[in-house]
Amino acid sequence: MTLEEKAKFVVGVGMPGFGGNPPFEVVGAVGGTYGIPRLGIPELRFADGPAGLRIRPTRPGQTQTYYATAFPIATSLASTWDTATVEAVGKAQGNEVKEYGVDMLLAPALNIHRNPLNGRNFEYYSEDPLIAGKMAAAMVNGVQSNGVGATIKHFAANNQETNRMSIDTVVSERALREIYLKGFEIAVEESHPWAVMSSYNKINGIYASQSADLLTTVLRKDWGYNGFVMTDWFGGNDPVEQMKAQNDMIMPGNTTQSSLIKTSVESGKLDEKVLDRNIKNILQVLIQTPEFKKYQNSDKPDLAAHAITARKAAAEGMVLLKNDKMPLPISKDQKITLFGNTQIETVKGGTGSGDVNAAYTTSISDGLKSAGYELNQTEFDKYKTYIDDLRSQDQYKIKPSSWGEDFGKFIPAIPEKPLTDNEIASASKDSDIGVIVIGRNSGEGADRKVVKGDYLLSDAEEAMISKVSAEYHKQGKKVAVILNIGGPIEVASWRDKVDSILLAWQPGQEAGYAVADVISGKVNPSGKLATTFPEKYSDVASANSFPGTPVDNPTQVVYNEDIYVGYRYNTTFNVKPAYEFGYGLSYTSFDINHLNISEGKKFKDKLKVSAMVENTGDLAGREVVQVYISSPDGKLEKPAIELKAFGKTKELKPHQRELLQFDLNAKDLTSFDEEKNAWVLEKGTYTVKVGASSEDIKETATFTVDQDMIVEKVNEALAPKVEFERLTK
Ligand code: BGC
């Protein structure tokens, strides 16, 4: 390559509609690389995103459509606690990537749910790095089994949307290594993603995309990563620093950046060897792409098969939060009245680059009808008329996303339909059960807020829950709530009023069918929370520091809670959540027993844990076994418990049993010592706790470690440059 070719190759060719107009055959792809035909180097195409491939569904002058499958959001997938399900979703997504002519999917995303208000949490899996890492690895393995690439993002500590492109994340090395980098480390090790996308934010004063500590020292030297790194779109501010840090490719790219890189080499500011190194990183991936291999894509992925995968995954991810005296499942001879706008305007997923242009979204009302339920037609018609009427008004018209039609639709929120007392009274007489649907949406570009209608119920929703419950209970009938949401909302103030709560998440395009599968009992719910539902927002460890200071326009966010994120905080500081990490009910019941740990009482270098699960109820179902460890405080203090392994049974018939086994190695048990730059295993007594949630521990066993051990030394990196207070026990 000539110097000019090199400088162009490490910079993308721009993004349609955003200051560039590259001729992308795949309309709606967001990025592309520079081709050098004389060297046989083709142009590559990149497209989003976590819930499915995001491309434009129609093309000018064509009748053929290019719809992609909208799968459940990542938070829902994580709630399956089933890596096989997630891998199947990845396999289907990757097939669409390949058949629609794209080379790399800009997903999965695995930032940590540091705070429930992050507007993009729906794209992310969990508050726990083990879950995030295992789910991302499963997704990458599924996607890449097609011979296309996955991109793990946003590396790293990109846990809010407020001022995301400039915010400085101040965080300890220990919290980085144990919480914010850990999932990426697992995904790199277990799935070898073709690409990593660096994040927008700064980490301890330096842009992630310009941090050699992050992209060279940690990612390549400590972890041995051998794919390439791209920036997030328009991220960072210094192309030369990006090159030096080993952020190999700048996206979406412009000619000013490539010119600057070229002149910097000419002036001696940038060593050409740095460019060569980065180019090699990219080329090693490029030669594996469908484009390089001249794959003839069909433009006809099997959408019908993928819809089945999406529906199955959606049902698997649903979490039964409450079911007093079993109002669910609902038998088909029971007549249902549905309340809530979201029964019709069901939310498939969040907005922004994580949206998917799906051919349809099955609403909850349609899903229940097609499953054979009789719905209260009078009430349904009232909702339909109300919504149609409002949507015809200018302020509520559904428009293309403000970022352009490729980014899905902007659906202005409409107020919950008010219910009159008479209406509720007659509905409660005319049906056997009331089902209330509560919906929420959020997306890229903004965080959620602790206000009515967002984190809190709106007045109309609160009235709906109170009045519907009172009327139905007066008739001796039950009320269930379906939560069609992308992240936690406040539940503690109203949950006692209703009999059942099903957390359906944002389940993708098959939403209504999957809800019906669980409501009818065709699928016995087996999802578990991978993110805590706090009792109140102020109980969140980062409630005071999110989204940073100064409050009106944050420039810095300090992670004072340190390693105590999510359940690590709740369990260590005895803060009771509304629904804890790992929690989820079933229509049947399980026992977890016969905990056995290998190697007797002393740890050598491996630990085998096994536990028996027995279905003790009357229906077939699946159970998740969660293996937590309580480690002794030593030089380093430890959270009360940490998830170290998990597994899910196959479908067990009543009284059927299954033995689940887990292998842990020394590194799995370590903590990060900042002074030693090492993963250390400290001496003392460790307790293995197996259970059905972080609070529902069924059996425990102990083992001891005789002396402190340095299990793995790493390079010094990413130290904070300012003093700050860190939460300690
Ligand atoms: C998002 C990325 C996405 C990219 C391209 C950015 O705004 O943060 O997640 O992949 O846009 O659409």
Side-chain angles (χ1 to χ4, degrees):
M1 286 185 200
T2 63
L3 177 60
E4 179 160 344
E5 283 169 339
K6 288 180 187 177
K8 283 186 171 161
F9 186 66
V10 294
V11 175
V13 293
M15 179 182 182
F18 288 75
N21 204 11
F24 287 170
E25 207 179 291
V26 184
V27 187
V30 279
T33 63
Y34 179 73
I36 311 176
R38 74 175 184 90
L39 298 175
I41 296 175
E43 299 170 16
L44 304 181
R45 297 289 172 259
F46 304 160
D48 287 307
L53 176 69
R54 188 174 59 78
I55 55 173
R56 193 183 294 183
T58 54
R59 295 178 190 172
Q62 289 189 20
T63 49
Q64 146 109 37
T65 55
Y66 301 82
Y67 287 107
T69 307
F71 292 91
I73 58 167
T75 314
S76 154
L77 292 178
S79 306
T80 65
W81 293 60
D82 184 17
T83 50
T85 293
V86 178
E87 189 166 340
V89 167
K91 198 169 171 206
Q93 282 194 12
N95 175 262
E96 294 183 16
V97 171
K98 187 175 187 182
E99 292 309 330
Y100 279 137
V102 174
D103 299 286
M104 308 250 334
L105 181 69
L106 303 173
L110 64 147
N111 296 92
I112 291 293
H113 294 168
R114 171 178 181 250
N115 184 291
L117 300 183
N118 180 2
R120 272 184 108 171
N121 271 352
F122 74 94
E123 292 189 55
Y124 307 142
Y125 295 108
S126 175
E127 68 191 25
D128 179 79
L130 180 75
I131 298 268
K134 293 279 180 188
M135 294 298 157
M139 182 64 86
V140 170
N141 283 326
V143 169
Q144 294 190 168
S145 68
N146 293 279
V148 295
T151 310
I152 56 172
K153 67 184 187 185
H154 309 87
F155 189 56
N158 177 191
N159 305 299
Q160 63 187 61
E161 287 301 281
T162 305
N163 291 347
R164 64 178 179 161
M165 303 200 62
S166 57
I167 195 87
D168 182 16
T169 300
V170 175
V171 53
S172 75
E173 290 160 85
R174 180 173 178 196
L176 277 170
R177 295 276 185 171
E178 290 187 14
I179 308 289
Y180 298 101
L181 300 178
K182 191 74 202 173
F184 288 94
E185 184 180 1
I186 295 170
V188 163
E189 189 179 324
E190 297 185 7
S191 66
H192 309 287
W194 288 11
V196 170
M197 186 189 292
S198 55
S199 58
Y200 285 133
N201 52 292
K202 295 172 191 145
I203 303 174
N204 293 326
I206 298 179
Y207 277 110
S209 65
Q210 295 166 197
S211 168
D213 269 11
L214 183 70
L215 304 180
T216 298
T217 308
V218 172
L219 182 64
R220 328 255 183 173
K221 290 196 185 140
D222 289 343
W223 300 350
Y225 179 66
N226 58 10
F228 78 99
V229 177
M230 67 176 88
T231 62
D232 197 349
W233 268 231
F234 309 101
N237 66 355
D238 187 336
V240 173
E241 286 305 307
Q242 288 173 328
M243 286 301 119
K244 287 185 184 165
Q246 213 167 169
N247 190 116
D248 309 294
M249 178 157 288
I250 300 176
M251 294 307 292
N254 62 46
T255 48
T256 316
Q257 290 161 330
S258 41
S259 306
L260 182 76
I261 289 172
K262 181 167 173 268
T263 53
S264 301
V265 173
E266 285 162 347
S267 69
K269 233 182 107 194
L270 179 64
D271 189 341
E272 195 166 352
K273 287 204 192 82
V274 167
L275 276 192
D276 292 343
R277 172 197 68 183
N278 296 0
I279 290 168
K280 192 170 162 208
N281 290 337
I282 304 167
L283 286 177
Q284 278 170 351
V285 168
L286 180 138
I287 56 172
Q288 302 175 59
T289 59
E291 191 62 37
F292 184 78
K293 295 183 173 166
K294 301 201 167 53
Y295 179 72
Q296 293 297 313
N297 61 295
S298 67
D299 279 329
K300 290 193 178 63
D302 191 347
L303 296 178
H306 299 170
I308 294 169
T309 307
R311 174 173 176 170
K312 240 184 110 221
E316 281 286 314
M318 290 184 194
V319 185
L320 185 62
L321 296 176
K322 178 171 183 180
N323 202 22
D324 276 2
K325 304 210 178 85
M326 298 268 298
L328 303 182
I330 304 173
S331 64
K332 297 276 170 72
D333 56 6
Q334 288 199 291
K335 184 171 173 184
I336 299 173
T337 300
L338 281 173
F339 298 93
N341 297 348
T342 318
Q343 63 173 290
I344 292 171
E345 297 205 316
T346 303
V347 184
K348 72 178 191 312
T351 61
S353 63
D355 204 342
V356 180
N357 293 308
Y360 57 85
T361 298
T362 311
S363 68
I364 291 173
S365 48
D366 281 349
L368 290 173
K369 272 188 228 160
S370 82
Y373 284 104
E374 187 192 348
L375 301 184
N376 177 343
Q377 190 65 36
T378 318
E379 196 53 37
F380 176 81
D381 290 342
K382 285 186 184 154
Y383 273 99
K384 182 89 180 87
T385 311
Y386 171 82
I387 289 169
D388 288 349
D389 184 35
L390 256 65
R391 286 288 176 221
S392 69
Q393 297 172 20
D394 259 358
Q395 68 179 123
Y396 295 122
K397 280 209 172 111
I398 299 175
K399 308 172 191 67
S401 155
S402 54
W403 293 356
E405 60 182 306
D406 294 343
F407 285 84
K409 295 195 169 61
F410 171 64
I411 307 176
I414 55 174
E416 188 56 54
K417 183 179 98 62
L419 293 164
T420 66
D421 293 350
N422 280 342
E423 186 180 354
I424 301 173
S426 63
S428 70
K429 288 185 192 110
D430 190 37
S431 56
D432 302 300
I433 183 164
V435 175
I436 299 170
V437 189
I438 301 284
R440 288 288 181 276
N441 208 350
S442 77
E444 190 175 355
D447 288 318
R448 294 171 54 204
K449 293 200 161 60
V450 186
V451 294
K452 289 182 179 180
D454 192 344
Y455 188 75
L456 308 173
L457 291 187
S458 68
D459 290 339
E461 287 168 336
E462 211 176 303
M464 171 165 66
I465 288 179
S466 299
K467 289 183 180 173
V468 168
S469 301
E471 270 315 308
Y472 275 78
H473 290 160
K474 230 195 266 170
Q475 309 281 333
K477 296 172 181 174
K478 306 281 188 198
V479 172
V481 168
I482 298 173
L483 296 176
N484 178 203
I485 59 182
I489 60 168
E490 190 278 324
V491 292
S493 68
W494 56 267
R495 62 177 165 177
D496 290 346
K497 295 181 182 161
V498 302
D499 306 285
S500 297
I501 305 173
L502 176 67
L503 173 56
W505 294 117
Q506 292 165 347
Q509 66 178 39
E510 304 300 308
Y513 297 133
V515 164
D517 288 343
V518 173
I519 290 283
S520 65
K522 187 175 160 196
V523 173
N524 189 348
S526 62
K528 304 270 183 175
L529 293 179
T531 205
T532 301
F533 270 56
E535 177 95 15
K536 45 189 191 311
Y537 175 70
S538 56
D539 289 344
V540 176
S542 57
N544 290 330
S545 58
F546 180 93
T549 51
V551 256
D552 50 341
N553 192 16
T555 54
Q556 188 185 65
V557 56
V558 181
Y559 287 13
N560 301 109
E561 74 285 356
D562 210 40
I563 55 169
Y564 297 107
V565 177
Y567 72 89
R568 285 170 167 78
Y569 174 71
N570 294 88
T571 55
T572 309
F573 296 92
N574 295 318
V575 178
K576 183 129 183 59
Y579 294 112
E580 77 273 12
F581 179 83
Y583 173 83
L585 302 172
S586 165
Y587 297 151
T588 186
S589 54
F590 295 96
D591 201 8
I592 300 175
N593 50 40
H594 289 87
L595 167 63
N596 190 41
I597 62 173
S598 65
E599 318 229 354
K601 295 262 170 226
K602 280 209 199 311
F603 181 78
K604 286 184 210 97
D605 55 1
K606 282 207 162 43
L607 184 73
K608 279 191 185 300
V609 177
S610 62
M612 185 70 87
V613 183
E614 182 178 355
N615 184 344
T616 52
D618 303 325
L619 289 166
R622 303 180 71 190
E623 174 65 318
V624 173
V625 174
Q626 304 165 32
V627 181
Y628 297 93
I629 300 247
S630 297
S631 309
D633 285 337
K635 180 182 143 199
L636 306 176
E637 64 172 57
K638 312 286 174 11
I641 56 167
E642 290 183 283
L643 185 73
K644 295 295 177 185
F646 59 91
K648 195 164 185 175
T649 65
K650 59 179 195 252
E651 181 154 279
L652 297 178
K653 299 196 184 74
H655 309 298
Q656 198 180 351
R657 304 197 299 174
E658 185 178 334
L659 186 73
L660 294 187
Q661 286 176 300
F662 311 92
D663 289 317
L664 295 176
N665 59 35
K667 177 138 182 228
D668 296 329
L669 305 174
T670 55
S671 303
F672 190 76
D673 185 331
E674 296 170 352
E675 283 171 8
K676 297 198 172 92
N677 283 309
W679 292 97
V680 298
L681 183 62
E682 293 193 302
K683 64 170 184 264
T685 303
Y686 288 70
T687 309
V688 180
K689 301 181 170 175
V690 293
S693 87
S694 56
E695 283 183 10
D696 187 10
I697 301 299
K698 305 285 193 189
E699 290 197 359
T700 65
T702 60
F703 65 90
T704 57
V705 171
D706 280 349
Q707 50 189 359
D708 291 348
M709 273 188 245
I710 292 189
V711 175
E712 188 182 309
K713 276 215 80 74
V714 296
N715 293 289
E716 165 138 36
L718 298 164
K721 296 190 186 64
V722 292
E723 291 277 314
F724 62 100
E725 236 173 85
R726 293 163 67 170
L727 181 62
T728 54
K729 291 205 260 196

